[in-house]
């Protein structure tokens, strides 16, 4: 809306107020959003008119607009909730809690839990923070003072709290002036005219008839020639960031850069970089676009024609924008040769790949991000993973509360985008929760933390580097509907662009001559463009499909393309005409219904590529028909993700099997062979002399592209690891990495690998948790999802909860082995004790499950299943009395009201807590259920039983899909007995199976065993329990002899052995002590806790100087000597990797 239209609204508001149309006044205030009437708002709050309060607010802000708005709505709804509690209206309070306050649980789960607990109190003033709550009137007054401060600080209310200074009856005055002017224009003006209507122009005795209406003046009349036409608006940029809502004209895109600098009166106060304010070349986007009829006689050169002339094409063929069939274009044969279509490499990442990016200078280095928050750097030429990092918050103290709450509610994090800086020295990672990580890359596996930015509320959807004002910046966009620009060196925020009305999906920075700008797309299909200033979006267009779209320029920067998919699955690839802001060309050839958003890329040889229909489709930029389709030997997903290297000689494409393939053209194959030869020559040198004989670039074979930096890095990477201590001191002992550098774990052939064996408590961090309650063996052990507490269930049916306190040594209050926690109990002193009925709890099979928000725990010890409140320890309800007794519990990952309950009689009951009803009863096992695990990706429930059988059930209809008995190692009983446990990897596809006789990894979709490990010489005792680490990179296993093993999760190879003497007190108990249960911390990959048979609980971590449990073994089989951390060495046999 223009500024004049805005002012008209104010005039109408003044008129309505003067005429006493009170309700209409406030309705218009709310609907227009131009003026926030604080007096009216105060009256409604004081009167407790909560529905009207929120309705009025809704015209100016929404709950999730910003932190001020969120706080405003929260305070209002909290007051409404407390008033209902004060009136003892529990039903109303529950309704407010569920309908109004639930929305805030995703931002601060702890606060929502605390509010929920108020329902259990007779008087909410028993809560310490509410002890000073007075009566309703005073409480509203106090809240109102806080609300006024929040509203005044909220940028959305800026310039909306003061009504313009107007003379009384200003609208009447303007109408009178207009009528006087019309009267003066009358041919025969009468004295004291009688004006009876405003609906038509005034006229005294017009010859047109008795109505008094007159014909409009001619168009060339001097009275109207200088006035704008009805409905016209001033040029873009005139009124700052709030642009007219009218649809943009066809020339808007052509003029947005020019008008933003030369036409806008605000140039003098632009806060962006000074280099951006120079007037651009007016002809920049106005070159003739008429395609030439023949390349040899070009009279006018446009960006397109210049681009075409640079390409090696036969000059005898006309190049017209006509949709010829592909076969009719002779030049297509040369393009086909440029297409990378030979499958040169097939690599396994281990989890689903979400994004890829080749290094801008080192053509064979590929950066990969996955759905489990993992990034990897691959040297595709040598098939080597140079570096790997898993998601971890580097400094939780600097993170916002919404982000911390989001991670607590659901710790699963995916990588949405990885990107290199233009020089390749930095790389950026955008995650699905709030954060952007920036690493510095020094070559090889040297990847170091540079910046951690809490960038957006919700998901960070895209990331890019840019150089405005010759300064390297990071551009991010996210679910909070904003685009932000950050200094790449300091992480300081420079700009925030607001204007999208939906989550921003992608960004595309670019420049034309001296003008730097950013295109952005949102999930509602809107495309906007921004300069680096505070004047708002310059254009507003609709992308084809009106959903998820990405944009990219051609390699020479002259042509703009976009690719996207609609909600209905229709895909679009188009070229834009920048001079007109219209679609110039729409490419054909997509499948009818695409299940995912298609991905595309461009190359310097004028090719477009899109992953679609289980293949890669290629187009010549100048022809709308598909040039060719490559299936890459099969195995591609429906919409594979693709990425070219800079030269266009290599193309990476994702596969169905959590990996990627690298396709190459002739130049790409030569590039890869050159690296293979180098690697072979480097491997022939004696290992002892490798560091001294690392050859320089001059001694290597030539390559088609300048890749000398890669050669140097490769020579560094072939230097063997000297010792365990040296490997542990990499990166100056940084403790912030979730996984150690791959260079530490990859050893040269012939080097002696040494298993780390910890024999003394001084060689790791360990703490035994204090316990004043009667000792009883620990049956179950679990960390809270927030990672600040440990919950144990003892064999006597009593629960124990340990909480860590916030101290100088532990500022995050997270569980740690460096400080001891407190055994926590509520003020009432009650214990959480399970129903035992007539059973002996020591003989029962206990089970426990914790809700995702840590508010409730469900537990059983042979009797009824009890639901406890974690704040008060009170039993909220009990259900399912035996027989049969529950033996395993698992919450449905998407609905806390649905619980899978494994039973003693071998059945599985799917129980709905809300309606107190068993929805399904699953039968397939022959003995009691010992393990349950859900997969969100596969939509299955996997169960394990004491019969040694694994069953896969579909969660849609609870049908049985597959079943299989675990394979028994040679020399063991033909039918396995005892507990069999199951746990999903973070990728939700691989399954860890734990049995006394073995550890095994299964492909859950096929229920096929991929690899397994059985106890051998070093671990002759059976396995008591095991679990994945939180990042699924390690497996922690306890043994019946008291020892603990740490394994690489990928290969199930042992990397560290911890002897029982480290964590079990000697001489205290006559009976042998061993771990019964083992639990992994939810966010610290190297921390685990042991529940012991003597009733003790031990938390363990590696030393801070080590930051990991040992070093991974070599990939080949062979004698593996063991280093005892005490003194001496002994030989051990092979781990038999295939077991």
């Amino acid at each position: 809306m223009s500024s004049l239209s805005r002012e008209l609204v104010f005039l109408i508001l003044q008129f309505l107020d003067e005429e006493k149309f009170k309700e209409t006044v406030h309705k218009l205030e709310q609907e227009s959003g131009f003026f926030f009437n604080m007096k009216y708002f105060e009256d409604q709050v004081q009167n407790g008119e909560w529905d009207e309060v929120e309705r009025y607010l809704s015209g100016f802000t929404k709950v999730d607009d910003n932190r001020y708005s969120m706080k405003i709505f929260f305070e209002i709804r909290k007051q409404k909730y407390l008033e209902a509690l004060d009136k003892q209206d529990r039903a109303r309070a529950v309704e407010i809690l569920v309908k109004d306050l639930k929305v805030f649980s995703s931002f601060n789960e702890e606060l929502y839990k605390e509010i929920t607990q108020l329902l259990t109190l007779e008087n909410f003033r028993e809560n310490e923070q509410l002890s000073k709550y007075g009566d309703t009137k005073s409480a509203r007054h106090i809240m109102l003072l806080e609300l006024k401060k929040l509203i005044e600080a909220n940028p959305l209310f800026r310039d909306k709290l003061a009504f313009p200074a107007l003379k009384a009856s200003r609208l009447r005055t303007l109408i009178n002036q207009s009528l006087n002017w019309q009267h003066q224009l009358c041919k025969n003006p009468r004295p004291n005219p009688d004006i009876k209507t405003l609906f038509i122009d005034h006229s005294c005795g017009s010859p047109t008839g008795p109505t008094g209406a007159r014909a409009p003046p001619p168009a060339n009349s001097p009275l109207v020639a200088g006035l704008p036409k009805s409905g016209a608006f001033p040029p873009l940029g005139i009124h700052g960031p709030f642009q007219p809502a009218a649809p943009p004209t066809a020339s808007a895109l052509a003029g947005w850069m020019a008008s933003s600098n030369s036409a806008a009166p605000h140039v003098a106060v632009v806060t962006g970089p000074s280099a951006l304010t120079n007037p651009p070349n007016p002809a920049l986007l106005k070159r003739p676009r008429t395609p030439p009829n023949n390349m040899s006689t070009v009279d006018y050169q446009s960006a397109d024609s210049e681009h075409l002339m640079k390409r090696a094409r036969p000059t005898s063929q006309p190049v017209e924008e006509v949709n010829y069939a592909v076969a009719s274009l002779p030049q297509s044969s040369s393009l086909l040769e440029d297409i990378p279509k030979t499958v040169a490499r097939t690599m396994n990442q281990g989890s689903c790949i979400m994004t890829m990016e080749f290094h801008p200078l080192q053509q064979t280095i590929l950066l990969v991000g996955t759905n489990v928050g993992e990034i990897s750097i691959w040297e595709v030429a040598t098939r080597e993973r140079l570096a790997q990092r898993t998601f971890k918050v580097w400094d939780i103290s600097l993170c916002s509360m919404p982000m911390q709450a989001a991670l607590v509610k659901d710790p699963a994090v995916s990588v949405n985008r990885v990107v290199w800086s233009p020089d390749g020295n930095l790389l950026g990672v955008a995650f699905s929760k709030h954060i952007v990580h920036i690493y510095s890359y020094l070559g090889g596996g040297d990847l170091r933390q540079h910046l951690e930015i809490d960038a957006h509320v919700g998901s960070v959807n895209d990331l890019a580097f840019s150089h405005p004002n010759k300064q390297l910046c990071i551009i991010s966009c996210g679910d909070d509907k904003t685009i932000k620009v950050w200094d790449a060196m300091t992480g300081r925020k420079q700009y925030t662009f607001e204007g999208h009305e939906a989550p921003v999906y992608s960004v595309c920075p670019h420049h034309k001559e001296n003008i730097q700008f950013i295109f952005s797309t949102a999930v509602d299909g809107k495309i906007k463009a921004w300069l680096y200033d505070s004047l708002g979006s310059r254009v507003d267009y609709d992308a084809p499909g009106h959903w998820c779209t990405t944009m990219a320029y051609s390699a020479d920067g002259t042509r703009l393309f976009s690719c996207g998919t609609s909600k209905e699955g229709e895909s679009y690839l188009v070229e834009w005409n920048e001079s007109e802001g219209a679609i110039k060309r729409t490419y054909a050839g997509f499948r009818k219904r695409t299940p995912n958003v298609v991905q595309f890329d461009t190359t310097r040889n004028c090719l477009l590529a899109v992953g679609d229909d289980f293949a890669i489709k290629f187009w010549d930029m100048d022809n709308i028909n598909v040039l060719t389709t490559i299936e890459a030997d099969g195995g591609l997903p429906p919409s594979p993700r693709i990425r070219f290297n800079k030269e266009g000689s290599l193309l990476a494409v994702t596969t169905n099997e959590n990996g990627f393939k690298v396709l190459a053209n002739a130049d790409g194959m030569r590039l890869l062979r050159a690296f293979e030869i180098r690697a072979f020559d480097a491997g022939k040198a004696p290992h002892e002399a490798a560091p001294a004989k690392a050859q320089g670039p001059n001694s290597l074979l030539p390559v088609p592209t300048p890749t000398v930096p890669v050669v140097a890095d490769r020579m560094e990477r072939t230097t063997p690891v000297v010792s365990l201590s040296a490997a542990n001191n990499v990166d100056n002992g940084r403790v912030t990495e979730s996984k150690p550098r791959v260079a530490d774990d990859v050893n040269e052939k012939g080097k002696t690998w040494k298993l780390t064996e910890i024999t003394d408590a001084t060689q790791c961090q360990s703490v035994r948790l204090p316990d004043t309650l009667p000792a009883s063996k620990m049956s179950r052990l679990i960390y809270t999802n927030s990672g600040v507490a440990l919950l144990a269930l003892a064999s006597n049916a009593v629960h124990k909860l340990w909480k860590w306190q916030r101290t100088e040594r532990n500022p995050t209050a997270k569980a740690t082995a460096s400080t001891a926690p407190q055994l926590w109990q509520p003020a009432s002193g009650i214990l959480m004790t399970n129903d035992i009925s007539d059973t002996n709890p020591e003989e029962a099979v206990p089970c426990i499950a914790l809700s995702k928000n840590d508010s409730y725990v469900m537990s059983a010890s042979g009797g009824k299943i009890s639901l406890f409140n974690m704040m008060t320890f009170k039993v909220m309800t009990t259900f399912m009395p035996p027989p049969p007794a529950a033996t395993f519990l698992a919450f449905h990952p998407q609905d806390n009201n649905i619980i899978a309950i494994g039973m003693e009689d071998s059945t599985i009951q799917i129980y709905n807590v809300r309606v107190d009803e068993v929805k399904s009863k699953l039968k397939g096992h022959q003995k009691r259920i010992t393990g349950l695990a859900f997969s969100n990706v596969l939509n299955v429930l996997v169960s394990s039983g004491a019969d040694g059988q694994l069953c896969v059930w579909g969660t849609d209809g609870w049908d049985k899909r597959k079943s299989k008995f675990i394979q028994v190692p040679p020399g063991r009983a033909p039918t396995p007995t005892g507990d069999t446990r199951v746990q999903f990897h973070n990728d939700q596809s691989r399954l860890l199976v734990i049995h006394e006789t073995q550890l095994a990894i299964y492909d859950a979709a096929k229920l096929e065993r991929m690899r397994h490990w059985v106890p051998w010489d070093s671990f002759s005792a059976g396995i008591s329990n095991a679990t994945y680490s939180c990042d699924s990179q390690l497996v922690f296993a306890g043994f019946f002899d008291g020892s603990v093993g740490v394994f690489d999760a990928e290969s199930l190879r042992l990397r560290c052995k911890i002897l029982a003497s480290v964590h079990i007190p000697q001489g205290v108990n006559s009976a042998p002590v061993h771990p019964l249960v083992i639990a992994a911390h939810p966010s610290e990959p190297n921390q685990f806790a042991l529940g012991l048979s003597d009733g003790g609980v031990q938390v363990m971590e590696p030393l801070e100087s080590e930051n990991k449990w040992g070093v991974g073994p070599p990939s080949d089989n062979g004698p593996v000597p063991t280093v005892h951390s005490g003194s001496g060495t002994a030989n051990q046999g092979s781990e038999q990797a295939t077991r």
Side-chain angles (χ1 to χ4, degrees):
M1 184 176 287
S2 68
S3 61
L4 291 178
S5 299
R6 178 185 174 91
E7 290 178 3
L8 179 58
V9 172
F10 282 110
L11 294 176
I12 296 171
L13 285 172
Q14 183 196 44
F15 172 78
L16 292 174
D17 184 62
E18 291 173 342
E19 296 296 319
K20 309 301 181 183
F21 293 104
K22 294 301 183 183
E23 291 185 8
T24 310
V25 168
H26 304 312
K27 182 68 174 176
L28 181 56
E29 290 168 352
Q30 180 257 330
E31 288 192 341
S32 67
F34 290 159
F35 172 63
F36 185 82
N37 192 325
M38 186 67 80
K39 178 64 171 64
Y40 174 72
F41 179 75
E42 291 177 9
D43 291 342
Q44 298 306 305
V45 170
Q46 291 285 21
N47 294 332
E49 300 291 342
W50 304 120
D51 291 342
E52 174 60 18
V53 167
E54 290 211 20
R55 187 197 65 79
Y56 190 70
L57 272 174
S58 68
F60 302 88
T61 184
K62 299 293 185 291
V63 173
D64 57 354
D65 280 345
N66 57 43
R67 59 191 179 95
Y68 299 104
S69 300
M70 188 181 301
K71 179 70 170 171
I72 291 168
F73 280 96
F74 175 75
E75 290 296 331
I76 292 169
R77 295 176 183 183
K78 183 185 74 173
Q79 179 63 28
K80 182 167 58 169
Y81 176 66
L82 293 178
E83 290 183 15
L85 288 176
D86 210 20
K87 295 175 182 176
Q88 300 299 312
D89 189 349
R90 301 280 169 169
R92 175 62 177 154
V94 170
E95 181 183 1
I96 296 169
L97 184 69
V98 174
K99 291 185 177 180
D100 296 337
L101 290 168
K102 179 65 176 176
V103 66
F104 301 104
S105 63
S106 59
F107 301 100
N108 192 330
E109 187 71 32
E110 292 297 323
L111 182 58
Y112 183 72
K113 285 193 296 184
E114 188 173 352
I115 291 174
T116 304
Q117 300 307 318
L118 299 180
L119 284 169
T120 64
L121 303 176
E122 291 297 326
N123 186 339
F124 64 79
R125 293 171 181 82
E126 295 174 18
N127 182 290
E128 183 178 351
Q129 297 182 40
L130 297 172
S131 59
K132 297 182 179 180
Y133 184 95
D135 59 12
T136 299
K137 184 177 180 180
S138 62
R140 289 177 182 175
H141 177 71
I142 293 171
M143 179 193 67
L144 194 53
L145 295 176
E146 177 68 15
L147 291 180
K148 291 174 69 174
K149 293 178 183 177
L150 291 169
I151 290 170
E152 290 169 357
N154 194 328
L156 295 178
F157 290 83
R158 191 170 300 146
D159 301 327
K160 298 181 181 182
L161 299 178
F163 199 86
L166 303 176
K167 292 183 178 180
S169 303
R170 177 61 180 162
L171 183 59
R172 289 180 178 275
T173 302
L174 290 175
I175 292 173
N176 287 334
Q177 290 174 350
S178 172
L179 293 174
N180 288 333
W181 177 253
Q182 293 176 35
H183 185 60
Q184 292 178 28
L185 295 178
C186 291
K187 293 181 178 179
N188 302 301
R190 300 175 182 174
N192 302 318
D194 183 16
I195 299 175
K196 297 181 179 180
T197 180
L198 298 177
F199 291 163
I200 56 176
D201 289 349
H202 164 69
S203 175
C204 293
S206 171
T208 58
T211 60
R214 59 181 299 186
N220 59 356
S221 168
L223 293 174
V224 296
L227 299 176
K229 294 180 181 180
S230 176
F233 292 97
L236 284 169
I238 292 296
H239 298 299
F242 300 101
Q243 301 299 337
T249 61
S251 61
L253 187 59
W256 68 268
M257 288 184 287
S259 66
S260 64
N261 289 293
S262 58
H266 303 289
V267 170
V269 294
V270 167
T271 58
S274 58
L276 306 180
T277 59
N278 296 329
N281 181 358
L284 185 63
L285 294 177
K286 299 181 181 178
R287 297 170 178 169
R289 294 286 174 162
T290 305
N293 292 327
N294 191 293
M295 290 296 294
S296 60
T297 57
V298 178
D299 296 325
Y300 300 98
Q301 291 195 6
S302 67
D304 288 346
S305 60
E306 291 170 359
H307 187 67
L308 290 170
M309 291 179 65
K310 293 177 183 176
R311 297 171 58 179
R313 299 289 182 88
T315 57
S316 60
Q317 297 294 329
V319 184
E320 298 180 348
E321 292 191 19
V322 180
N323 299 334
Y324 293 116
V326 176
S328 67
L329 292 174
Q331 62 265 35
S332 65
S333 59
S334 61
L335 271 184
L336 286 172
E337 295 176 0
D338 292 338
I339 294 175
K341 49 183 174 288
T342 303
V343 179
R345 299 287 187 271
T346 301
M347 323 284 273
N348 180 31
Q349 172 64 33
S351 51
C352 181
I353 296 173
M354 306 300 293
T355 171
M356 302 180 291
E357 190 82 20
F358 275 100
H359 194 281
L361 303 178
Q362 303 175 27
Q363 298 289 299
T364 58
I365 289 183
L366 180 68
L367 173 62
V368 169
T370 76
N371 67 332
V372 295
E374 178 182 82
I375 63 166
S376 298
I377 298 178
W378 290 88
E379 172 54 85
V380 298
T382 60
R383 301 178 174 85
E384 182 180 0
R385 194 193 313 243
L386 305 180
Q388 187 174 19
R389 298 290 185 268
T390 52
F391 174 77
K392 179 182 178 182
V393 177
W394 296 347
D395 189 348
I396 193 69
S397 64
L398 299 180
C399 295
S400 64
M401 288 304 296
M403 178 196 158
Q404 295 184 43
L407 290 175
V408 168
K409 180 180 179 182
D410 182 8
V413 173
S414 173
V415 176
N416 284 341
R417 185 77 163 94
V418 293
V419 63
W420 293 98
S421 64
D423 58 7
N425 291 331
L426 296 175
L427 65 90
V429 188
F431 291 100
S432 60
K433 285 190 174 65
H434 295 253
I435 276 188
V436 169
H437 278 169
I438 307 297
Y439 290 89
S440 59
Y441 181 61
L442 305 180
D446 197 348
L447 191 60
R448 303 182 182 180
Q449 296 175 3
H450 176 59
L451 288 175
E452 181 175 60
I453 304 172
D454 189 349
H456 295 271
V457 177
S459 176
V460 184
N461 296 325
D462 199 11
L463 200 64
F465 284 93
S466 182
H467 265 110
N469 201 24
K470 299 181 180 180
Q471 177 186 11
L472 185 62
C473 292
I474 305 156
I475 303 167
S476 64
C477 66
D479 279 355
D480 58 4
K481 308 174 187 177
T482 65
I483 302 102
K484 298 181 181 180
V485 181
W486 314 84
D487 187 302
M489 295 298 107
T490 65
R492 183 177 62 84
K493 184 167 64 178
Q494 296 181 326
Y495 302 96
T496 298
F497 300 133
E498 297 179 339
H500 277 292
E501 296 178 355
V504 186
Y505 183 73
S506 70
V507 289
C508 175
H510 196 59
H511 65 91
K512 292 278 187 179
E513 295 186 358
N514 66 330
I515 304 173
Q516 301 272 352
F517 56 93
I518 305 166
F519 278 115
S520 63
T521 70
V523 297
D524 60 358
K526 291 295 183 182
I527 299 174
K528 294 181 182 289
W530 318 79
L531 292 181
Y532 293 84
D533 58 28
S534 58
L535 299 183
S537 170
R538 298 319 205 268
V539 300
D540 188 352
Y541 292 110
D542 289 320
H546 302 281
W547 199 41
C548 299
T549 298
T550 54
M551 306 185 76
Y553 275 87
S554 57
D556 60 4
T558 61
R559 304 173 71 175
L560 177 64
F561 302 88
S562 73
C563 182
T565 304
S566 70
K567 292 182 180 179
E568 292 74 31
E570 298 291 338
S571 296
Y572 302 86
L573 175 64
V574 303
E575 180 178 4
W576 289 86
N577 187 326
E578 289 183 274
S579 64
E580 298 178 1
I583 293 175
K584 176 180 180 180
R585 184 181 285 113
T586 300
Y587 298 88
F590 288 99
R591 68 181 295 187
K592 291 297 183 182
R593 286 288 184 268
T594 303
N596 303 308
V597 178
V598 296
Q599 307 289 314
F600 88 119
D601 202 6
T602 65
T603 68
R604 62 189 303 170
N605 48 13
C606 301
L607 285 171
L608 294 169
V610 174
D612 179 54
D613 200 11
F614 304 91
I616 311 156
K617 296 178 180 178
F618 295 87
W619 285 264
D620 177 353
M621 288 182 179
D622 298 318
N623 193 288
I624 68 167
N625 296 309
V626 175
L627 180 62
T628 189
T629 299
I630 304 293
E631 295 185 356
D633 297 342
L636 304 186
S639 302
R641 301 177 187 277
I642 61 172
R643 189 60 64 188
F644 285 103
N645 69 348
K646 186 175 181 180
E647 299 297 324
S649 59
L650 300 177
L651 173 66
V653 55
T654 57
T655 66
N656 272 327
E657 302 297 328
N658 292 333
F660 63 93
K661 296 181 180 182
V662 177
L663 281 60
N665 60 17
D667 288 341
M669 293 301 295
R670 285 192 289 271
L671 178 65
L672 296 176
R673 289 194 194 103
F675 274 92
E676 286 179 337
I677 295 172
R678 293 174 194 158
F680 177 76
D681 291 344
K684 292 194 296 185
H687 292 292
E688 293 78 5
K693 292 189 176 183
Q695 301 182 25
N698 296 331
S699 65
L700 300 177
L701 294 176
V703 287
T705 54
T707 53
V708 174
V710 181
V711 177
D713 294 340
R714 177 63 188 157
M715 294 301 102
E716 293 173 6
R717 292 196 297 273
T718 56
T719 305
V721 179
V722 178
S723 66
L724 178 61
S725 61
N728 287 335
N729 288 328
V730 197
D731 283 351
N732 300 320
R734 297 179 71 94
V735 300
T736 53
E737 303 297 342
S738 296
K739 190 176 179 187
R741 289 172 49 186
V742 174
D744 300 339
D745 296 348
V746 178
N747 300 273
E748 295 293 330
K749 291 184 177 180
K751 285 296 290 183
T752 301
W753 172 78
K754 298 177 180 180
L755 172 68
T756 301
E757 195 166 279
I758 296 177
T759 61
D760 188 84
T762 60
Q763 295 165 349
C764 66
Q765 297 183 85
S766 178
V767 61
R768 189 176 178 93
L769 307 193
D771 191 355
T772 57
L773 298 176
S776 185
K777 66 180 182 181
M778 287 299 159
S779 301
R780 296 292 178 261
L781 188 65
I782 186 171
Y783 280 93
T784 59
N785 293 292
S786 58
V788 299
L790 256 175
L791 176 65
L793 173 59
S795 60
N796 62 358
V798 175
H799 299 78
K800 300 178 182 181
L801 181 66
W802 288 272
K803 289 187 178 182
W804 273 258
Q805 305 301 310
R806 195 179 303 276
T807 64
E808 290 185 5
R809 292 188 62 188
N810 186 20
T812 63
K814 287 290 184 72
T816 175
S818 61
T819 60
Q822 294 179 357
L823 181 63
W824 191 86
Q825 285 182 272
S828 62
I830 64 173
L831 299 176
M832 275 194 293
T833 306
N834 278 335
D835 170 70
I836 57 176
S837 299
D838 298 327
T839 62
N840 180 357
E842 296 287 343
E843 298 175 357
V845 178
C847 49
I848 190 170
L850 188 63
S851 65
K852 285 192 291 187
N853 60 10
D854 295 334
S855 295
Y856 312 105
V857 62
M858 193 168 292
S859 183
S861 296
K864 297 178 184 177
I865 300 175
S866 300
L867 182 65
F868 293 96
N869 185 309
M870 283 283 284
M871 298 291 290
T872 64
F873 282 14
K874 291 181 180 179
V875 178
M876 302 184 69
T877 186
T878 59
F879 54 96
M880 285 201 174
T887 57
F888 205 93
L889 300 168
F891 280 100
H892 193 289
Q894 296 171 335
D895 188 351
N896 263 346
N897 292 310
I898 303 296
I899 309 163
I901 306 174
M903 309 300 288
E904 196 173 33
D905 66 354
S906 77
T907 63
I908 303 165
Q909 301 195 21
I910 307 302
Y911 179 75
N912 189 314
V913 180
R914 184 182 295 276
V915 298
D916 189 21
E917 181 182 344
V918 175
K919 292 294 187 181
S920 296
K921 192 172 184 179
L922 315 182
K923 297 181 179 180
H925 288 276
Q926 297 158 16
K927 294 185 179 181
R928 61 183 168 82
I929 305 301
T930 58
L932 295 169
F934 283 95
S935 169
N936 275 335
V937 172
L938 301 177
N939 292 323
V940 298
L941 168 68
V942 177
S943 61
S944 59
D947 55 0
Q949 187 181 191
L950 305 175
C951 294
V952 180
W953 315 84
T955 56
D956 295 331
W958 301 110
D959 57 307
K960 185 178 179 180
R961 297 185 178 177
K962 294 185 188 326
S963 66
K964 183 175 289 187
F965 286 92
I966 64 172
Q967 301 174 36
V968 183
R972 302 294 180 108
T975 303
T977 58
D979 290 357
T980 304
R981 304 286 174 142
V982 287
Q983 183 187 5
F984 270 104
H985 186 282
N986 279 356
D987 65 10
Q988 297 281 291
S989 298
R990 284 175 285 178
L991 186 74
L992 173 65
V993 178
I994 306 112
H995 187 263
E996 178 183 349
T997 64
Q998 62 190 283
L999 298 174
I1001 304 293
Y1002 280 74
D1003 180 338
K1006 304 174 183 176
L1007 207 57
E1008 293 179 356
R1009 193 175 72 181
M1010 301 165 64
R1011 62 189 64 85
H1012 77 295
W1013 179 93
V1014 299
W1016 45 287
D1017 294 346
S1018 180
F1019 284 112
S1020 56
I1023 302 165
S1024 61
N1025 208 322
T1027 184
Y1028 272 124
S1029 61
C1030 65
D1031 59 1
S1032 295
Q1033 299 300 310
L1034 303 173
V1035 173
F1036 304 119
F1039 293 82
F1040 285 112
D1041 64 358
S1043 57
V1044 176
V1046 182
F1047 297 80
D1048 271 316
E1050 183 68 24
S1051 63
L1052 282 186
R1053 291 173 175 270
L1054 184 65
R1055 61 187 293 146
C1056 181
K1057 179 180 180 181
I1058 306 170
L1059 299 190
S1061 57
V1062 175
H1063 49 270
I1064 297 176
Q1066 300 299 310
V1068 176
N1069 297 287
S1070 57
V1073 179
H1074 63 273
L1076 286 175
V1077 285
I1078 188 165
H1081 192 282
S1083 59
E1084 294 293 336
N1086 288 294
Q1087 185 187 135
F1088 62 88
L1090 302 173
L1092 304 174
S1093 57
D1094 66 351
V1097 175
Q1098 199 87 12
V1099 175
M1100 306 191 69
E1101 291 180 288
L1103 295 173
E1104 290 187 5
S1105 59
E1106 302 285 338
N1107 193 34
K1108 59 186 176 182
W1109 296 107
V1111 177
S1115 59
D1116 56 298
N1117 297 327
V1120 186
T1122 301
V1123 173
H1124 297 271
S1125 296
S1127 60
T1129 304
N1131 290 328
Q1132 296 176 343
S1134 167
E1135 282 186 45
Q1136 302 177 15
T1138 59
R1139 290 188 297 185

